[in-house]
């Protein structure tokens, strides 16, 4: 019954159902009425389409096992305090697996204090030591950028060999803003 529910009501595709069961065999023991259906309805109520929800479940089957009381405050913090788009959650459903008070809030505060922004996966998956290194590298890149020092970012230790690998958005091509507006925007937000 759970497999049929996942295929027909949770957006999981035929292609992904084996992966979902292999990664989350516990789903087969969950109550459809009291757990799976409740969680599916919650995610759909957030504006996530059925197809995208199926992709999220394929990526992280445990998503359907969390209590709504655990999901809701994390979602509210993501959207209201972090001011992140829903797409961030769709791309990284494992966000819900991290402790709100133990990891999400403290790391978000560090990013805000240092005026930097990481994709959720880079913000949360690193160890504390790796996170501190990533923050320091981003601060140094921003400092060099703001001071006008150019660098080819070829250091493997900083960006895995490419600026794209760092997820930095500092392009200014075809921008309708004046140079002053561009400098102001870039000094306010550097995406990592």
């Amino acid at each position: 019954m759970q497999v049929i529910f996942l295929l027909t009501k949770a957006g999981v595709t035929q292609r992904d159902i084996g992966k979902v069961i292999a990664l989350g065999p516990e789903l087969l023991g969950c109550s459809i009425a009291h757990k799976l259906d409740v969680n599916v309805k919650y995610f759909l109520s957030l504006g996530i389409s059925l197809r995208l929800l199926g992709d999220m479940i394929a990526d992280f089957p445990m998503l359907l096992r969390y209590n709504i009381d655990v999901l809701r405050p994390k979602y509210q913090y993501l959207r209201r305090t972090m001011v992140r788009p829903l797409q961030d959650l769709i791309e990284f459903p494992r966000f819900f697996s991290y402790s709100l008070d133990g990891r999400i809030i403290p790391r978000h505060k560090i990013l805000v204090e240092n005026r930097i922004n990481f994709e959720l996966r880079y913000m949360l998956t690193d160890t504390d030591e790796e996170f501190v290194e990533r923050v320091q590298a981003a601060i140094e890149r921003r400092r060099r950028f703001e001071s006008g020092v150019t660098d080819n970012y070829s250091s493997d230790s900083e960006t895995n060999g490419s600026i794209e690998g760092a997820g930095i958005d500092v392009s200014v091509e075809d921008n309708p803003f004046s140079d002053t507006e561009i400098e102001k925007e870039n000094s306010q937000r550097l995406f990592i």
Side-chain angles (χ1 to χ4, degrees):
M1 292 293 281
Q2 284 82 352
V3 172
I4 293 169
F5 176 85
L6 292 170
L7 289 167
T8 60
K9 303 289 186 191
V12 177
T13 64
Q14 289 272 344
R15 181 190 81 236
D16 289 333
I17 193 66
K19 175 184 172 184
V20 169
I21 299 304
L23 292 174
E26 304 87 357
L27 292 177
L28 297 177
C30 288
S31 163
I32 291 174
H34 296 107
K35 177 59 73 179
L36 299 179
D37 192 47
V38 171
N39 282 20
V40 165
K41 287 178 179 175
Y42 174 72
F43 287 110
L44 294 175
S45 76
L46 301 179
I48 298 170
S49 72
L50 189 60
R51 183 187 63 78
L52 289 175
L53 178 58
D55 291 344
M56 291 170 66
I57 295 167
D59 182 40
F60 188 58
M62 293 299 293
L63 190 62
L64 292 181
R65 296 214 45 228
Y66 291 107
N67 289 327
I68 299 297
D69 293 338
V70 171
L71 297 172
R72 189 173 287 118
K74 291 178 183 181
Y75 175 77
Q76 289 172 342
Y77 187 83
L78 175 86
R79 300 285 280 152
R80 294 179 183 167
T81 304
M82 295 175 72
V83 194
R84 296 285 189 130
L86 183 60
Q87 186 63 34
D88 284 7
L89 184 61
I90 292 168
E91 292 172 0
F92 191 66
R94 284 179 175 82
F95 170 81
F96 287 113
S97 70
Y98 294 95
S99 165
L100 183 60
D101 294 325
R103 182 162 281 199
I104 297 170
I105 291 174
R107 289 194 177 186
H108 176 248
K109 285 182 179 180
I110 289 170
L111 296 179
V112 169
E113 289 167 2
N114 288 288
R115 300 176 330 175
I116 56 178
N117 193 17
F118 293 161
E119 291 178 13
L120 291 177
R121 75 182 73 249
Y122 297 118
M123 175 184 156
L124 298 171
T125 60
D126 287 344
T127 65
D128 288 340
E129 294 79 20
E130 292 168 335
F131 178 73
V132 168
E133 289 175 16
R134 187 179 297 274
V135 167
Q136 292 304 317
I139 292 168
E140 178 59 23
R141 283 192 301 275
R142 186 190 66 237
R143 186 195 62 74
R144 285 190 303 237
F145 177 79
E146 289 174 346
S147 68
V149 175
T150 58
D151 189 15
N152 64 7
Y153 295 103
S154 61
S155 169
D156 287 344
S157 65
E158 285 186 3
T159 62
N160 296 327
S162 72
I163 195 163
E164 290 83 14
I168 300 173
D169 180 8
V170 291
S171 61
V172 293
E173 298 174 8
D174 302 322
N175 196 319
F177 300 110
S178 70
D179 288 342
T180 305
E181 290 171 307
I182 292 169
E183 289 174 32
K184 180 180 175 187
E185 177 68 24
N186 286 333
S187 69
Q188 292 175 352
R189 181 176 258 176
L190 179 63
F191 287 98
I192 304 296

